[in-house]
């Protein structure tokens, strides 16, 4: 379950101020609804994707015995 700031609060912030977990969660959520998003939703999703790309992606650099390389955004 996602525990964090909701889209109402985040929409008033620059994407560069979002946490990685927030970017990952909302990217995943919007990605699954792409066929149903209106122009504003597609724009927000595009901004999230650009911010993820600006950060070099969201993968962990190393895996250890408790974490894999894929981020968990629950």
């Amino acid at each position: 379950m996602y525990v964090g700031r909701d889209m109402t609060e985040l929409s008033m912030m620059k994407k560069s101020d979002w946490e990685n977990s927030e970017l990952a969660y909302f990217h995943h959520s919007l990605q699954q609804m792409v066929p149903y998003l209106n122009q504003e939703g597609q724009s927000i999703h595009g901004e999230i994707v650009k911010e993820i790309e600006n950060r070099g992606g969201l993968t962990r650099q190393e895996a250890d015995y408790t974490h894999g390389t894929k981020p968990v955004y629950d």
Side-chain angles (χ1 to χ4, degrees), residues 43-59:
S43 175
I44 291 168
H45 185 237
E47 291 171 5
I48 290 171
V49 169
K50 283 182 185 177
E51 182 58 30
I52 290 170
E53 290 172 350
N54 288 341
R55 295 183 186 194
L58 295 176
T59 57

Side-chain angles (χ1 to χ4, degrees), residues 23-36:
L23 287 169
Y25 175 78
F26 286 106
H27 169 58
H28 180 74
S29 297
L30 292 172
Q31 184 179 36
Q32 297 202 354
M33 297 185 296
V34 164
Y36 310 105

